[in-house]
Amino acid sequence: MSAACPPQSPAVAKTEVLVDDWCPMLAATFAYWDNILGPRVRHIWAPRGQGFSLLCDGEVTFLANHTLNGEILRSAECGAVDVKFFVLAEKGVIIVSLIFDGELKGDKNTCALSIILPQSELSFYLPLHTVCVERLKHIIRKGRICMQKGYNIISVLSSEIVPIMELLTSMKKHSVPEEVDIKDTVLNDDDIGDSCHEDFLHKAISSHLQTCGCSMVVGSNPEKVNKIVLTLCLFLTPAERKCSRLCHPDGLFKYDTGLFVQGLLKDSTGSFVLPYRQVLYSPYPTTHIDVDINTVKQMPPCHEHMYHQRRYMRSELSALWRAASEDDISPDNLINAQDTFTPDLNIFQDVMHRDTLVKSFIDEVFLLKPGLSLRSVYLSHFLLLLNRKALTLLRYIEDETQKGKKTFRSLRNLKTDLDLTVEGDLNIILAMAEKLRAGLHSFVFGKSFLTSMQERDLLMSF
Amino acid sequence: MIGSPDVVAFTKEDDFGELFSDPLSLPEEFSVPLFNHAAHANPWTKTSYAKFSKDFILISEFSEQVGPQPLLTIPSDPKVCGTFDLNYFSLRIMSVDYQASFVGHPPGSNYPKLNFVEDSKVVLGDSKEGAFAYVHHLTLYDLEARGFVRPFCMAYISADERKIMQQFQEMSSQFSKASECLKMGNRKAFANELEKKLKDLEYTRSVLHKEAELQKTNSGCYSTQAIEKANELANVEKSIYEHKDLLRQITSYPSRKRKDMDFVQCEMEKATEISAVDDTLTCNSDNAVKSVETESDNRKSTYTPQFIKAKSAKCFDKRLKTLEELCETNFFHQTLEQLNLVEKSFRGDLSFIYTSQINRALLTKQRVTSFLFEAESDWIDETSKNFKVSSNTPPIPILNLSGELMNLESYTTSVDVDHIKQSGESSEVPAESSTSDITQETSEAADTETKGSFSSEKSIETFGSVSPSNLQSNYFEGLERSKVSTTSSYEDQKVGKMSPHRTSEGSPAEVFGNGHLVPMDSACCIGQDGFIYEEPTPEIAQECCGDTVVNQEPLSLLHGDPVLQMDYILEDSTLLGSPNKGLMFSELNTSVLSEEAARINIEDVSDSTSYMSTSTSSDRAASPFTYGSVLTLRQKKKAGHNALRFIRQYPFAHQAIFCLLSGRTLVILGSDEGTVRKLVNALLIYVPNLGKYGETVQPWLSTPFQLTDLQRWKLIGLQRAFSPAGSSILHSLNRYSRYISILDCDNKTLRCPPYKGILINHMADHRTQIKRGSTYFLHVQSLLTQLTAKAFLYTFCHHIHLPMDMNDQGSVTSRRTNFLLQLGCTVEESKIVQYLSELIKTHCIQGHLKGVNKSFFSFDYTTSYLYKI
């Protein structure tokens, strides 16, 4: 009897995720290309209790299948994760799909992990695209290992899908606006030092710029925290601001990897747990600013940060690879799996390189009358200067090295020629240039990483 | 929790750069590379494995006959695509129908239904090929096609994935425009095609009808043939109905879609035509048929209906229409133009595109200073460009004497009111004497009287179409002008004397009294006493002067005359009493100038100045760069190359640049036109307020220049000729040598005041390792941005300009000096900042007079030195 009937299509498993507020994500899906049945959806994640939803499960499945269509022609290298982005006006949705290969039931399959949002959220989503994609890429790396080992991939994927849903939910209400009013910032104070100590402000902005505009502001008072968050956001582009978050007055937010600036509240005991892994996985080094005790600490520059990040990632993946059973692959177990995995808790360091650019800006901007647009215009002059210097530096290096064909050996000349002899100034401009040309730090400093660290060690001992 | 830096932990035995010896044997395919870039890779190589040399646009179709196929590329040069497999890529991007929606006979419907599907946008990539694409899917209608639809896509293909995602919204908007253009043309073509088909069908029906009637008449009964004919006729009837329905559908294209901002018409100038077409199409179907008929009368009159056979050609026998045929030629070419623009606007490196967008947005906030060194297109013309970056321009506030802050825009509005009033008054009294004549006479008189009587360090005059210093007095004091303008008749009389268009007397003394030289408000004059010279615009001068020959020095040295000094004091007090009055002078003339007039002024400057000398028109008409055209950033970048050569060749480049930045006219003297022009080109990037058309630069002049020219031109290329004309040129050089700097490119010498400071040293270090002119230009640009910021700060730091009381000018001066010292400026650099500040103030007042040359002439007597190589 049963042989006469076609096999029933198994129902697609679904996880409903509880989120605090309205989540702009309609669904997330995991689909794969079945060698017999074609594209199949394996799992759907959807926010729970969102009331009216644009898509029913059938439509989600249809869309998820669509993401794999055409991938039969895929000729990517093994392990590559390709990103596809759809704006389907007919369906009123945007879909972000990460296509990768993985082993399911002994067969190599093409898989797609996708998130679906309403088309109306396009401009909200675009600034966050890189954050989402980078985080999903790493969870896919872990997922591929699980697939290879025959473990359940869904729980692994859930460990990142759910936080991304939460991130998008939180950003919907608490992201920094595209345009920050200078009146909401420290730069509107009558005099320097009214809101915070002059040196603290200088250090905070300088370090913030040295770490590519990536900072976390920690404190007990949400207003104070948010004021500094908005002040730092003045130095970002509008798109970067939309990728920054104010602190929640109830302290509900945890650190989220990939945001540019984020405000975080300490708990009732006045302590704050710093998630080492998440901070390390941020695309840029981060500045840590504590507005309660006026301290500013920063992570090492981009090339060192990337090195640590990659090393940590490799260790994490290796631990997963070595996991004996599915029970061993929880994050805690992974961390304890081996000795070399011990995180370095001193990754935040004092801001050692002082600059003249920010210093003179801070000194000068307070000379202008507050409450008007003067300071805002002056700020735009400053940002224009930084942008131009960064582009000049980039072009200088390109000219010197014939676009990377030759090794860059003339850092000293660069400093003199471009008036960047002060180390802090150079760091700021290099950080800005890094955002324009990823990998610039590694290219410029290359193997001198060790030397630079030793030099720093020596300098600090004096 | 966050401890002190502990770097030892990082400096483990594993060598940075060497392969990380992972003790765990994680296969590389599951791992992540330790470095961003592989062994021999670098930040630039990620695009190197792409098989095409630069970004391009590909239009592909999913042909019902041959499947996905590339149609054309933009640019069309095959070298651009290189060995990149367009067929394969077309297959990849067209293999999925992303617009899946029903077209054809819907269930339960007897007639085909057209669906106006919206475009889909997809970003995808082929990491192996190193190609990433923004793909814009659209559907066109074709009566001959299966389901009446032909799927097409336009793809922007780049090796840089980040570029596509970062520019997604802009790309999407640009491609939507192109797509809408195609679709509009297609709707029109489709309607025409339907109309023709209807004609054919109607003709076929009439033929069949006749034949059926004939058969019925012949046989008298229903033969098999007659029945077949009747069936055929019924099919044709049905077909006519279907086609009419299709025509109704295509002509009732939803108007909301047309009105959507995303679907903007292709080009503004063609928008009317397009909307006319669409309007025609959106009428009700019956009317629409008529309108289409009317519209294409000519074509229709020539169209002969054809008999349609019962069975049409098989799918593979027929030739599919080309894209051009599907969309009509005009629309097709408009689309190509639009796509060419898209290709150009996204051409090049992302870092450059991105920074340009950010900078443009920042510059729109700096309108008050952008005119100094920025190409105008960057902060005016392109501000309307939507790059998703805010471009709100905050108003700049100013202070009046009472210290009350006001918005500058409202301030300039009030200035306008005064201008109008003044203009009205002045127009009542026709100008009877030549202002330029007056100028020359007074100047010569002054020269004769006081030659050599000034200390070299004492600055004397400020010449200007509007005196910035005077502006400053108005700027900070004159906000109550509206009240002051109704001052006593005595004051009116006095001020009236200062007005350049009120006088009719011509004696030098009277001329002076008549206000062509008016005392500056010393509170606003930076460390100097002086006069304001009001220079009439050339147009007015021409009207008034006829062919008067100018042969006198400026009246500057009258400063030494005690009688006139007294007069000056009187005038000064008048001015203080009525600060607003001194503001109006040249604006009487300039306010009527439009931007176009300014441009014409450049081109026709020979006309306006020909009365002054025997100069040839070609000399004076010569526009600095491209005759009468807008000076672009690209030209400036090219100038960077010459500038780099200049600073390497001339060790006294600092001094030359200092002259230009501080507003002292630099004359480049040489016998070879090419060399002079090259030097002018090299130095133009340092000229503040260059003007949209480069108005402040005269690249080649073969006649003596005049004093008025020094107000207009800040960089002059002058011919050294060994002829009578040449001697008069040398004479003019000698005559005005104290106001100008002379770079003799034949003898490689420079005569100018000295410069001490570090700012220009950074700008013009002859040992610089910068290799390319464009990079050097960027470097100069960033230093000039720094300088502009300083000038902005100096201008708008109200407290340093406000006197404690009316007699407290001394402390203001010292405050300003100290302020500049605090900013780290040397004496010379202070002069630069002050000059730029004066320009900013002038611009603030006259900013709304677009295109008007806002230059002014200020100088001081500083000892000049001769520099040699």
Side-chain angles (χ1 to χ4, degrees):
Chain A
M1 180 74 182
S2 60
C5 297
Q8 279 193 333
S9 181
V12 178
K14 185 173 177 181
T15 304
E16 291 204 326
V17 181
L18 188 65
V19 281
D20 293 327
D21 226 317
W22 184 78
C23 177
M25 194 197 287
L26 294 171
T29 61
F30 173 58
Y32 65 99
W33 189 280
D34 188 292
N35 289 336
I36 298 166
L37 298 168
R40 304 278 300 162
V41 178
R42 171 91 178 266
H43 200 89
I44 297 174
W45 292 262
R48 182 189 291 175
Q50 296 290 296
F52 172 75
S53 176
L54 275 176
L55 301 172
C56 65
D57 285 357
E59 283 171 316
V60 171
T61 309
F62 171 81
L63 291 171
N65 286 341
H66 239 67
T67 60
L68 276 169
N69 281 342
E71 291 306 325
I72 196 117
L73 297 163
R74 190 165 188 266
S75 62
E77 283 171 9
C78 188
V81 181
D82 292 332
V83 184
K84 290 210 289 189
F85 182 68
F86 307 84
V87 179
L88 304 180
E90 278 298 307
K91 299 285 176 193
V93 294
I94 52 179
I95 308 175
V96 187
S97 280
L98 288 92
I99 314 292
F100 58 98
D101 58 354
E103 205 166 295
L104 276 172
K105 299 171 192 166
D107 285 337
K108 279 267 179 195
N109 297 96
T110 302
C111 308
L113 180 63
S114 309
I115 55 175
I116 306 171
L117 297 99
Q119 196 188 349
S120 54
E121 300 299 331
L122 179 65
S123 55
F124 161 78
Y125 170 75
L126 278 176
L128 296 164
H129 176 75
T130 312
V131 179
C132 294
V133 164
E134 286 308 312
R135 286 170 62 163
L136 289 175
K137 268 187 180 174
H138 187 62
I139 206 66
I140 284 172
R141 288 186 198 114
K142 290 167 83 173
R144 287 183 71 244
I145 294 176
C146 290
M147 288 166 88
Q148 183 73 19
K149 299 205 132 211
Y151 300 157
N152 179 16
I153 183 178
I154 302 304
S155 59
V156 176
L157 295 180
S158 295
S159 68
E160 196 62 73
I161 297 275
V162 175
I164 285 179
M165 273 191 190
E166 286 167 352
L167 167 71
L168 293 177
T169 307
S170 71
M171 292 302 286
K172 199 66 199 160
K173 265 198 168 175
H174 292 89
S175 69
V176 173
E178 197 171 345
E179 282 303 311
V180 173
D181 191 341
I182 202 166
K183 287 177 184 161
D184 300 329
T185 70
V186 174
L187 293 193
N188 198 51
D189 288 354
D190 281 342
D191 204 358
I192 188 167
D194 281 2
S195 290
C196 55
H197 191 264
E198 177 186 346
D199 190 50
F200 168 68
L201 182 65
H202 170 216
K203 258 189 184 175
I205 296 174
S206 176
S207 178
H208 170 67
L209 290 170
Q210 287 178 40
T211 53
C212 306
C214 202
S215 299
M216 65 166 119
V217 184
V218 180
S220 307
N221 181 349
E223 284 173 12
K224 208 171 170 185
V225 169
N226 283 343
K227 196 167 186 179
I228 296 291
V229 168
L230 290 171
T231 305
L232 297 179
C233 282
L234 286 174
F235 299 87
L236 300 179
T237 65
E240 288 167 348
R241 280 178 207 142
K242 284 167 88 177
C243 194
S244 302
R245 190 175 63 191
L246 296 164
C247 79
H248 193 287
D250 299 331
L252 294 177
F253 297 154
K254 289 178 181 169
Y255 178 87
D256 258 303
T257 302
L259 297 182
F260 277 93
V261 183
Q262 50 190 312
L264 297 161
L265 280 188
K266 292 178 180 173
D267 62 18
S268 53
T269 61
S271 64
F272 168 75
V273 179
L274 185 73
Y276 175 83
R277 179 182 171 274
Q278 277 89 327
V279 175
L280 199 60
Y281 279 15
S282 172
Y284 299 116
T286 304
T287 292
H288 177 283
I289 299 165
D290 190 324
V291 294
D292 290 346
I293 51 171
N294 287 352
T295 56
V296 180
K297 305 268 180 184
Q298 67 177 194
M299 289 171 85
C302 288
H303 59 298
E304 295 176 29
H305 172 71
M306 289 307 291
Y307 176 75
H308 297 313
Q309 185 191 82
R310 297 297 176 107
R311 219 181 59 165
Y312 193 98
M313 279 181 176
R314 286 169 73 97
S315 300
E316 193 183 23
L317 294 173
S318 296
L320 186 61
W321 181 258
R322 286 171 60 94
S325 72
E326 216 163 324
D327 300 332
D328 294 339
I329 61 171
S330 72
D332 290 341
N333 286 341
L334 283 180
I335 287 170
N336 299 325
Q338 53 180 308
D339 299 339
T340 57
F341 220 71
T342 312
D344 192 330
L345 294 174
N346 296 314
I347 199 151
F348 281 98
Q349 304 159 9
D350 286 325
V351 183
M352 288 182 303
H353 298 302
R354 307 311 293 261
D355 68 286
T356 61
L357 288 168
V358 177
K359 177 82 178 82
S360 51
F361 169 72
I362 299 273
D363 289 344
E364 287 161 11
V365 77
F366 283 95
L367 295 173
L368 291 162
K369 199 106 179 141
L372 306 164
S373 55
L374 292 172
R375 291 186 180 179
S376 159
V377 176
Y378 192 63
L379 173 70
S380 71
H381 278 106
F382 178 65
L383 295 177
L384 184 67
L385 171 70
L386 296 186
N387 272 311
R388 287 192 162 156
K389 277 190 175 285
L391 191 63
T392 312
L393 177 134
L394 200 55
R395 289 287 176 271
Y396 187 97
I397 296 171
E398 278 184 15
D399 296 347
E400 278 289 317
T401 62
Q402 294 172 11
K403 288 201 171 180
K405 287 185 187 119
K406 288 173 19 184
T407 314
F408 183 66
R409 297 180 194 280
S410 44
L411 190 59
R412 187 176 295 180
N413 287 340
L414 179 144
K415 288 179 184 176
T416 318
D417 289 341
L418 304 186
D419 188 21
L420 294 171
T421 44
V422 178
E423 204 70 13
D425 292 344
L426 178 71
N427 289 351
I428 289 171
I429 302 303
L430 259 175
M432 296 206 72
E434 175 79 27
K435 287 200 275 187
L436 295 173
R437 177 71 62 189
L440 190 72
H441 271 83
S442 304
F443 179 72
V444 169
F445 296 107
K447 294 196 176 185
S448 63
F449 163 76
L450 195 61
T451 318
S452 86
M453 295 304 295
Q454 284 167 338
E455 272 174 3
R456 184 173 301 184
D457 205 13
L458 270 173
L459 282 169
M460 286 189 67
S461 64
F462 286 110
Chain B
M1 176 185 53
I2 299 168
S4 60
D6 181 0
V7 292
V8 181
F10 292 114
T11 54
K12 290 181 181 171
E13 52 278 2
D14 53 280
D15 235 351
F16 187 82
E18 287 175 17
L19 267 184
F20 178 64
S21 55
D22 195 345
L24 305 168
S25 55
L26 175 69
E28 210 47 43
E29 62 171 281
F30 290 103
S31 187
V32 53
L34 194 53
F35 300 102
N36 251 353
H37 308 290
H40 300 292
N42 59 60
W44 293 270
T45 50
K46 66 178 175 184
T47 56
S48 64
Y49 50 92
K51 291 173 180 167
F52 46 91
S53 56
K54 61 177 185 179
D55 298 0
F56 64 97
I57 292 171
L58 168 72
I59 300 184
S60 293
E61 177 199 6
F62 194 104
S63 162
E64 61 188 61
Q65 291 177 346
V66 295
Q69 61 170 348
L71 296 180
L72 58 92
T73 60
I74 296 168
S76 53
D77 184 2
K79 280 181 195 164
V80 173
C81 309
T83 56
F84 184 67
D85 190 344
L86 293 177
N87 280 307
Y88 170 77
F89 203 75
S90 295
L91 181 66
R92 180 148 167 71
I93 59 181
M94 288 301 283
S95 60
V96 185
D97 178 13
Y98 295 110
Q99 293 174 287
S101 60
F102 190 83
V103 181
H105 289 269
S109 165
N110 291 322
Y111 305 111
K113 172 123 176 62
L114 291 179
N115 246 346
F116 297 103
V117 288
E118 292 195 36
D119 299 354
S120 294
K121 299 144 194 178
V122 180
V123 176
L124 48 78
D126 194 325
S127 52
K128 203 173 182 181
E129 292 281 319
F132 300 90
Y134 165 86
V135 190
H136 195 104
H137 292 270
L138 68 149
T139 305
L140 299 180
Y141 298 105
D142 182 357
L143 204 51
E144 305 291 318
R146 193 189 306 163
F148 306 128
V149 289
R150 299 269 301 271
F152 285 90
C153 78
M154 300 178 286
Y156 183 91
I157 300 171
S158 170
D160 189 352
E161 186 179 16
R162 205 171 151 220
K163 180 181 190 172
I164 290 174
M165 274 320 289
Q166 207 170 60
Q167 301 294 316
F168 179 84
Q169 279 190 308
E170 184 62 16
M171 246 177 221
S172 164
S173 147
Q174 296 298 319
F175 274 98
S176 292
K177 286 179 192 172
S179 163
E180 194 54 29
C181 194
L182 275 181
K183 289 194 289 188
M184 272 181 192
N186 175 246
R187 284 196 297 274
K188 192 185 173 202
F190 189 61
N192 285 338
E193 199 187 1
L194 277 168
E195 198 192 322
K196 281 183 193 169
K197 188 75 183 281
L198 273 170
K199 286 218 161 222
D200 290 347
L201 286 168
E202 275 163 8
Y203 173 71
T204 308
R205 180 175 62 181
S206 66
V207 171
L208 287 175
H209 195 72
K210 275 178 195 167
E211 284 178 3
E213 286 296 317
L214 196 66
Q215 278 182 352
K216 212 163 106 182
T217 319
N218 289 344
S219 59
C221 62
Y222 290 102
S223 64
T224 319
Q225 280 179 328
I227 291 167
E228 272 178 15
K229 275 285 181 248
N231 286 339
E232 220 173 304
L233 201 58
N235 282 339
V236 171
E237 287 287 357
K238 190 188 170 207
S239 192
I240 287 173
Y241 195 88
E242 281 179 0
H243 282 79
K244 275 190 176 168
D245 191 60
L246 281 174
L247 186 60
R248 183 191 56 76
Q249 288 179 50
I250 197 75
T251 51
S252 59
Y253 175 71
S255 56
R256 77 171 168 80
K257 292 191 180 182
R258 283 187 296 116
K259 284 173 189 165
D260 195 328
M261 282 307 289
D262 273 354
F263 300 98
V264 190
Q265 272 81 356
C266 295
E267 288 175 39
M268 290 302 289
E269 66 270 19
K270 289 165 186 168
T272 327
E273 186 198 336
I274 292 166
S275 58
V277 169
D278 247 32
D279 285 343
T280 311
L281 292 174
T282 49
C283 296
N284 66 52
S285 62
D286 289 340
N287 290 339
V289 176
K290 285 175 192 167
S291 334
V292 173
E293 277 170 10
T294 323
E295 196 181 71
S296 51
D297 262 349
N298 292 336
R299 208 168 349 139
K300 273 173 214 160
S301 60
T302 57
Y303 181 71
T304 316
Q306 291 169 347
F307 183 80
I308 301 173
K309 288 177 186 172
K311 289 178 183 174
S312 59
K314 281 182 185 171
C315 177
F316 293 99
D317 296 340
K318 67 190 175 198
R319 183 189 73 87
L320 289 173
K321 289 190 191 74
T322 62
L323 188 57
E324 191 169 351
E325 287 165 341
L326 276 178
C327 307
E328 294 211 333
T329 310
N330 277 350
F331 288 90
F332 177 72
H333 288 294
Q334 280 175 39
T335 309
L336 289 190
E337 275 174 38
Q338 165 71 12
L339 291 176
N340 271 308
L341 279 176
V342 174
E343 191 271 324
K344 271 182 198 158
S345 62
F346 293 108
R347 191 184 288 171
D349 193 63
L350 173 65
S351 59
F352 202 83
I353 296 171
Y354 186 57
T355 42
S356 315
Q357 289 169 358
I358 295 172
N359 291 355
R360 206 176 291 129
L362 290 171
L363 282 171
T364 55
K365 293 183 179 177
Q366 304 169 16
R367 283 167 191 255
V368 72
T369 52
S370 298
F371 73 98
L372 285 176
F373 296 107
E374 308 298 333
E376 197 166 323
S377 57
D378 268 2
W379 54 280
I380 290 193
D381 294 342
E382 302 200 27
T383 49
S384 55
K385 271 198 159 189
N386 176 17
F387 279 109
K388 287 285 161 196
V389 193
S390 162
S391 60
N392 54 338
T393 313
I396 301 296
I398 57 163
L399 274 177
N400 64 6
L401 193 59
S402 62
E404 186 189 341
L405 285 156
M406 281 186 69
N407 188 311
L408 189 60
E409 282 171 15
S410 62
Y411 175 65
T412 44
T413 313
S414 60
V415 171
D416 279 346
V417 173
D418 282 340
H419 290 172
I420 295 160
K421 192 177 173 187
Q422 287 286 336
S423 300
E425 286 171 4
S426 62
S427 63
E428 290 168 16
V429 186
E432 292 173 20
S433 63
S434 155
T435 47
S436 72
D437 187 27
I438 290 160
T439 307
Q440 299 305 321
E441 282 175 7
T442 51
S443 59
E444 187 156 289
D447 194 41
T448 316
E449 279 186 42
T450 57
K451 198 169 273 180
S453 64
F454 281 86
S455 102
S456 63
E457 290 303 316
K458 187 153 187 181
S459 56
I460 303 296
E461 299 169 341
T462 300
F463 280 43
S465 56
V466 170
S467 160
S469 300
N470 195 16
L471 290 180
Q472 184 155 323
S473 76
N474 286 276
Y475 197 67
F476 296 112
E477 299 163 18
L479 287 172
E480 296 184 19
R481 264 170 299 132
S482 50
K483 293 177 195 166
V484 184
S485 62
T486 56
T487 45
S488 68
S489 59
Y490 171 76
E491 281 178 332
D492 269 349
Q493 217 174 343
K494 279 285 188 187
V495 175
K497 277 187 179 178
M498 291 195 292
S499 167
H501 301 296
R502 287 186 168 211
T503 175
S504 58
E505 275 73 43
S507 74
E510 281 167 340
V511 167
F512 174 62
N514 281 348
H516 292 283
L517 285 167
V518 290
M520 289 172 68
D521 170 17
S522 56
C524 312
C525 174
I526 292 120
Q528 61 190 19
D529 298 324
F531 302 95
I532 301 161
Y533 175 72
E534 289 309 325
E535 176 58 27
T537 59
E539 288 83 347
I540 301 294
Q542 191 189 11
E543 273 178 35
C544 305
C545 305
D547 56 358
T548 309
V549 176
V550 177
N551 54 7
Q552 294 192 350
E553 286 287 341
L555 197 57
S556 57
L557 305 183
L558 280 173
H559 189 259
D561 188 322
V563 180
L564 291 172
Q565 188 81 343
M566 186 78 99
D567 207 7
Y568 162 66
I569 293 162
L570 273 171
E571 295 286 345
D572 194 14
S573 62
T574 310
L575 187 74
L576 282 171
S578 174
N580 57 315
K581 299 293 183 184
L583 189 72
M584 313 311 156
F585 308 122
S586 70
E587 291 190 12
L588 291 171
N589 305 325
T590 55
S591 60
V592 296
L593 289 178
S594 65
E595 183 186 352
E596 183 59 23
R599 193 174 67 83
I600 293 165
N601 188 18
I602 300 305
E603 293 171 5
D604 300 338
V605 71
S606 60
D607 296 336
S608 59
T609 53
S610 58
Y611 66 90
M612 291 179 175
S613 67
T614 54
S615 62
T616 60
S617 63
S618 64
D619 282 339
R620 290 193 174 267
S623 174
F625 317 102
T626 47
Y627 189 81
S629 63
V630 179
L631 186 64
T632 61
L633 186 64
R634 186 179 290 267
Q635 283 169 310
K636 281 182 143 189
K637 274 185 189 169
K638 280 182 183 168
H641 175 72
N642 287 333
L644 189 57
R645 286 183 61 176
F646 171 74
I647 63 158
R648 284 194 175 135
Q649 282 177 3
Y650 293 85
F652 47 72
H654 299 163
Q655 279 73 22
I657 294 168
F658 165 63
C659 291
L660 293 169
L661 288 175
S662 57
R664 189 180 173 100
T665 300
L666 177 66
V667 175
I668 297 171
L669 181 66
S671 46
D672 176 41
E673 184 176 346
T675 314
V676 172
R677 279 184 182 273
K678 216 171 218 176
L679 276 175
V680 169
N681 186 259
L683 287 163
L684 72 90
I685 60 171
Y686 308 102
V687 180
N689 189 22
L690 193 55
K692 189 173 181 179
Y693 303 98
E695 297 96 309
T696 44
V697 177
Q698 174 55 269
W700 182 246
L701 189 66
S702 53
T703 55
F705 59 85
Q706 309 298 327
L707 191 64
T708 48
D709 294 335
L710 299 186
Q711 182 201 4
R712 187 183 305 113
W713 295 326
K714 296 299 171 194
L715 177 61
I716 302 174
L718 191 65
Q719 184 186 24
R720 168 182 274 130
F722 303 100
S723 63
S727 66
S728 65
I729 290 174
L730 288 178
H731 177 68
S732 72
L733 271 182
N734 288 331
R735 191 176 186 183
Y736 302 118
S737 61
R738 78 186 71 171
Y739 315 132
I740 58 173
S741 301
I742 303 164
L743 173 60
D744 186 335
C745 61
D746 296 332
N747 299 315
K748 303 263 190 289
T749 60
L750 173 69
R751 188 177 185 81
C752 68
Y755 166 78
K756 279 176 200 156
I758 50 166
L759 182 88
I760 297 180
N761 290 352
H762 287 309
M763 205 180 283
D765 182 0
H766 71 276
R767 292 163 303 180
T768 182
Q769 298 297 310
I770 294 175
K771 291 192 164 45
R772 292 161 67 99
S774 57
T775 309
Y776 176 69
F777 173 72
L778 285 172
H779 173 56
V780 171
Q781 216 184 16
S782 60
L783 290 173
L784 292 177
T785 307
Q786 212 165 357
L787 200 52
T788 306
K790 277 197 165 71
F792 175 85
L793 188 72
Y794 175 75
T795 311
F796 291 99
C797 265
H798 299 103
H799 66 275
I800 61 164
H801 301 293
L802 286 175
M804 302 302 176
D805 56 61
M806 294 303 286
N807 302 317
D808 187 35
Q809 299 308 326
S811 72
V812 170
T813 310
S814 70
R815 247 183 287 150
R816 287 173 179 165
T817 312
N818 288 337
F819 184 81
L820 288 166
L821 280 174
Q822 267 180 17
L823 289 184
C825 298
T826 60
V827 177
E828 287 78 13
E829 285 163 359
S830 296
K831 282 181 186 168
I832 296 174
V833 173
Q834 283 168 335
Y835 172 67
L836 298 180
S837 172
E838 295 300 306
L839 286 175
I840 292 170
K841 282 178 251 172
T842 312
H843 179 79
C844 282
I845 304 300
Q846 295 187 324
H848 58 293
L849 304 171
K850 204 178 175 188
V852 174
N853 189 351
K854 302 166 195 89
S855 65
F856 71 97
F857 183 37
S858 74
F859 56 87
D860 53 9
Y861 287 118
T862 311
T863 311
S864 286
Y865 294 92
L866 187 68
Y867 296 90
K868 294 177 182 172
I869 285 187

